[in-house]
Amino acid sequence: DQQVKQNSPSLSVQEGRISILNCDYTNSMFDYFLWYKKYPAEGPTFLISISSIKDKNEDGRFTVFLNKSAKHLSLHIVPSQPGDSAVYFCAANSGGSNYKLTFGKGTLLTVNP
Amino acid sequence: KAGVTQTPRYLIKTRGQQVTLSCSPISGHRSVSWYQQTPGQGLQFLFEYFSETQRNKGNFPGRFSGRQFSNSRSEMNVSTLELGDSALYLCASSTPGTGGDEQYFGPGTRLTVT
């Protein structure tokens, strides 16, 4: 049973445009959500997170939106740059002392110059 | 500050053998988690250690085990290797105060079982 789903295995956008990566979850106990970026031959790198008490969090070109009623979150990258090309993982945590992250299977983002 | 380091980076083993992977967390981080990444299953949580105690465990068979030392370094062991154990094994560390949510990953150990 996949509790965190990223239904788009890949996404291709033009440089300068917006990239929108989507993630759905099923576990109502999740209360903290994170996005990680992963380049080949490297470990995932933390990008941005959001607590369930918020519906939006921004950090520079990256914004994460959370819709709790729909159990959906999205990552917006504006403007997209070729260096953003990587696999993006959505992850969720039920917080407290639970350090277990549940990951989606990832979306490969390609930003074309 | 040095990042999370994992050794070895690459490993080839034969089915039935056992393997030990090592992880050194970021200095000051006391929580270490292990994940398995495969093309089919993505990133899956193995276990998490804090102050030498296993606090969380994923849904993996008992062949997968781990431990943490007093300096927070951690090892994971896989016994009686199977072909399906071929994967990238990632270690992540975090520090209290962040809720353990922002985990910092090492580059991983690529294990190939033949």
Side-chain angles (χ1 to χ4, degrees):
Chain A
D1 177 30
Q2 204 178 341
Q3 299 184 62
V4 177
K5 298 179 184 179
Q6 294 177 256
N7 292 320
S8 298
S10 63
L11 174 68
S12 181
V13 300
Q14 286 299 120
E15 181 178 5
R17 306 294 293 269
I18 184 172
S19 295
I20 300 177
L21 297 102
N22 294 303
C23 178
D24 297 295
Y25 63 96
T26 57
N27 189 337
S28 300
M29 298 301 291
F30 289 147
D31 61 2
Y32 203 85
F33 304 89
L34 308 89
W35 286 93
Y36 281 82
K37 178 169 73 172
K38 187 179 185 301
Y39 295 116
E42 295 183 13
T45 302
F46 170 75
L47 204 53
I48 192 169
S49 61
I50 187 167
S51 163
S52 60
I53 63 173
K54 295 185 176 181
D55 54 18
K56 178 182 174 182
N57 188 28
E58 286 181 85
D59 184 1
R61 297 186 296 113
F62 302 91
T63 303
V64 57
F65 295 92
L66 175 62
N67 182 333
K68 289 187 291 294
S69 60
K71 294 191 176 68
H72 176 83
L73 64 155
S74 60
L75 174 68
H76 292 209
I77 306 173
V78 184
S80 300
Q81 300 173 353
D84 296 330
S85 297
V87 177
Y88 288 78
F89 290 96
C90 170
N93 190 331
S94 56
S97 63
N98 184 346
Y99 286 55
K100 170 184 175 180
L101 289 178
T102 300
F103 282 85
K105 293 191 176 182
T107 296
L108 172 62
L109 173 66
T110 303
V111 181
N112 302 302
Chain B
K1 191 183 260 191
V4 177
T5 58
Q6 292 187 245
T7 56
R9 291 293 310 276
Y10 302 92
L11 206 49
I12 299 175
K13 289 287 189 178
T14 303
R15 193 170 43 183
Q17 288 185 314
Q18 76 162 15
V19 66
T20 299
L21 312 181
S22 181
C23 171
S24 293
I26 291 172
S27 177
H29 286 194
R30 292 166 60 193
S31 169
V32 174
S33 299
W34 288 88
Y35 294 83
Q36 180 196 66
Q37 185 183 16
T38 58
Q41 297 299 319
L43 272 154
Q44 292 189 290
F45 174 79
L46 279 155
F47 28 66
E48 183 251 346
Y49 287 86
F50 182 83
S51 293
E52 303 178 62
T53 300
Q54 186 183 89
R55 293 198 302 187
N56 291 285
K57 190 176 188 306
N59 298 323
F60 279 82
R63 299 185 298 107
F64 292 82
S65 63
R67 59 177 176 169
Q68 186 180 34
F69 302 94
S70 58
N71 61 359
S72 293
R73 191 177 69 85
S74 177
E75 289 181 348
M76 70 162 281
N77 184 78
V78 188
S79 62
T80 319
L81 284 165
E82 300 177 359
L83 295 178
D85 296 333
S86 295
L88 180 67
Y89 290 88
L90 291 158
C91 163
S93 74
S94 59
T95 184
T98 65
D101 302 304
E102 294 171 15
Q103 297 186 12
Y104 296 86
F105 284 82
T109 295
R110 171 73 62 186
L111 172 65
T112 302
V113 182
T114 61

